[in-house]
Amino acid sequence: MRNISNLPNHIAIILDGNGRWAKKRGLPRQLGHYQGALNLVTIANYANERGIKQLTVYAFSTENWKRPKEEVDYLMTKPVEMIEKNIEKFKSSTIKIQVKGRRDRIPEALLNSIVNLENITKDHTGLVLNVCLDYGAYDELITAMRLAKEISIEEIEKNLMVKDAVDLLIRTSGEMRVSNFLLWQIAYAEFYFTKKHWPAFSKKELEKALKSYSKRQRRFGGLNK
């Protein structure tokens, strides 16, 4: 499948099914989130290797605060440990990491790790990895409209957290909805749904999605010549 020529520039993935992956194996939900984080590293590195320019992932939504406190606490503390443990790998990678979403509700320790991670990768020239944390498209659009000098496509796009249109949206774990993710940016995206839970979404599965995308005819409201 490596000979696919028509690759998307910008892929977005809804990282769904960590808890279900764990439950299926009789494991605690937290371990599912841990495996999901490890898989994000694998898929991001592979996307970078494949020449994908941008990958935006849905890690934690503005609605996910409603989840059990134990699970939320884990999601707000474990990343600090993982970032600090792998800081040299982040430095040596070519991937540029940006975290998108609200920052006023993120715990200080995690926020400090995020800022440090963004700073040490800001000049990297490979894949741009946008991690959406405490992100919701409603929140993003309301904020963009408040900042806009006038209500126009150009002004709103200028103030979005994620600037570029998405070419391919992938959702794992069998759900077929977008769940308040990048509503503006996916206006003309191609959708790809898979029953694979996120921790089991392998490089081979990504290749299947890329192959499916390469066969699509994108008309953007017009007609093919």
Side-chain angles (χ1 to χ4, degrees), residues 103-153:
R103 299 204 172 193
D104 58 309
R105 300 187 289 191
I106 302 298
E108 185 178 5
L110 178 54
L111 187 56
N112 289 339
S113 291
I114 287 170
V115 171
N116 184 42
L117 187 57
E118 290 177 324
N119 284 335
I120 66 174
T121 65
K122 63 184 176 65
D123 295 322
H124 290 184
T125 57
L127 171 82
V128 175
L129 174 60
N130 299 312
V131 180
C132 291
L133 184 71
D134 198 7
Y135 168 91
Y138 292 162
D139 184 70
E140 178 185 38
L141 288 170
I142 290 170
T143 301
M145 289 177 189
R146 283 175 177 164
L147 294 172
K149 295 177 181 177
E150 61 181 18
I151 300 302
S152 68
I153 290 175

Side-chain angles (χ1 to χ4, degrees), residues 39-57:
N39 195 44
L40 175 56
V41 174
T42 298
I43 295 300
N45 283 328
Y46 185 67
N48 188 33
E49 179 187 331
R50 289 293 270 121
I52 304 299
K53 292 182 172 60
Q54 192 167 182
L55 173 63
T56 302
V57 298

Side-chain angles (χ1 to χ4, degrees), residues 169-182:
L169 172 72
I170 299 170
R171 180 162 189 158
T172 57
S173 205
E175 305 296 349
M176 300 179 73
R177 53 181 179 266
V178 296
S179 298
N180 194 23
F181 185 47
L182 301 177

Side-chain angles (χ1 to χ4, degrees), residues 16-18 21 24-25 32 35-36 39 43 172 194-206:
D16 198 13
N18 292 331
W21 178 90
K24 187 177 178 180
R25 289 160 177 78
Q35 290 298 323
N39 195 44
I43 295 300
T172 57
T194 174
K195 291 183 179 180
K196 291 283 185 181
H197 300 315
W198 171 245
F201 185 83
S202 63
K203 293 183 280 189
K204 183 178 179 180
E205 292 299 323
L206 178 58

Side-chain angles (χ1 to χ4, degrees), residues 57-72:
V57 298
Y58 208 7
F60 190 90
S61 77
T62 50
E63 290 74 42
N64 285 156
W65 295 104
K66 301 173 186 175
R67 293 192 174 189
K69 184 178 184 301
E70 182 181 8
E71 183 174 346
V72 172

